[in-house]
Amino acid sequence: MKRLQLLPMVCLLFSLTVLAQEWKEEHPGRPQNRLALKAGYFGELVLHPGLTVGLDYTVSENKWLTIHWDTDLGGYRHRWNNSSAFLTSGIGFRIHMGPVFTDFSLGIGYMHTRPDGVLFEKTENGDVEPASNRGHSHFMPNSSLQIGLHPGKNKQQPLKFHFGPEVYLQSSFNHTYLPHLAAKIGLTYQLQQP
């Protein structure tokens, strides 16, 4: 049943990819260095460390505003509780103020959590034995606010630094959405076209 609930979200993620490609083909005169690689720390406090890698695609850009579409793959470990892996996609708005920028993003995603440890279950005859540990799937809507620095004169350097909080919800946690707060610190490297 949960797999059927996740099907619309997976279809939406793939359709966003197709729409971005079609938009690029319809606007061939726009600058071509639109794709950037991202990597960073993603963790709930210091005790739940994690990492993310991803892509940042610039949809539209002018002197003070950039609209971008991001896709991130990551995970974190909550020791003695669970390990989580996630895939998210979302739209963001980056406001430039000289070399400094503020970035606000909204997105959706899929998270898979797996208990950190051995699970046991009671059998029909009353014995206790190890149980399978395939984990649980969750819908993951998210939002982040990042502050960043784009060094170099007129933003010519391909590297950007950013940090800030991300808030996300974990679905199907005791029949409700469980809110989480994570810290994001990372780098974005703008790929240059030949």
Side-chain angles (χ1 to χ4, degrees):
M1 184 65 178
K2 284 187 180 181
R3 290 181 184 168
L4 289 176
Q5 293 172 349
L6 293 174
L7 186 60
M9 188 202 55
V10 171
C11 291
L12 178 63
L13 290 174
F14 284 117
S15 65
L16 288 174
T17 305
V18 172
L19 288 174
Q21 183 64 31
E22 287 177 0
W23 188 92
K24 183 178 178 182
E25 291 170 359
E26 291 173 5
H27 299 87
R30 301 287 175 117
Q32 294 301 308
N33 57 342
R34 297 182 164 276
L35 192 62
L37 301 176
K38 301 187 320 177
Y41 172 83
F42 178 95
E44 293 184 328
L45 307 173
V46 178
L47 301 176
H48 310 154
L51 298 173
T52 62
V53 293
L55 297 173
D56 181 307
Y57 180 78
T58 301
V59 177
S60 179
E61 184 175 34
N62 63 29
K63 192 179 230 183
W64 62 274
L65 178 68
T66 300
I67 300 172
H68 59 94
W69 172 56
D70 296 333
T71 301
D72 290 325
L73 176 65
Y76 68 91
R77 182 169 184 236
H78 183 165
R79 191 172 180 189
W80 302 305
N81 191 339
N82 69 66
S83 296
S84 300
F86 56 85
L87 175 65
T88 62
S89 185
I91 192 84
F93 304 91
R94 189 176 297 133
I95 300 169
H96 303 278
M97 298 160 278
V100 178
F101 64 85
T102 301
D103 193 320
F104 177 72
S105 298
L106 287 172
I108 58 171
Y110 168 78
M111 181 193 307
H112 193 85
T113 60
R114 188 167 182 234
D116 190 19
V118 180
L119 299 180
F120 294 93
E121 66 183 354
K122 188 175 180 179
T123 62
E124 291 178 10
N125 61 2
D127 293 335
V128 176
E129 64 182 30
S132 65
N133 188 0
R134 295 187 188 126
H136 304 282
S137 56
H138 306 279
F139 178 59
M140 183 183 173
N142 59 72
S143 176
S144 71
L145 177 64
Q146 301 287 296
I147 306 295
L149 177 65
H150 198 162
K153 189 174 182 180
N154 297 324
K155 301 186 292 186
Q156 295 302 316
Q157 293 292 329
L159 198 60
K160 289 185 274 238
F161 306 98
H162 56 86
F163 65 93
E166 177 169 312
V167 176
Y168 66 93
L169 300 175
Q170 178 182 352
S171 71
S172 306
F173 190 88
N174 293 335
H175 307 291
T176 187
Y177 279 89
L178 179 65
H180 293 269
L181 177 64
K184 289 179 75 171
I185 303 168
L187 302 170
T188 302
Y189 182 80
Q190 192 79 33
L191 297 176
Q192 303 296 317
Q193 293 293 323

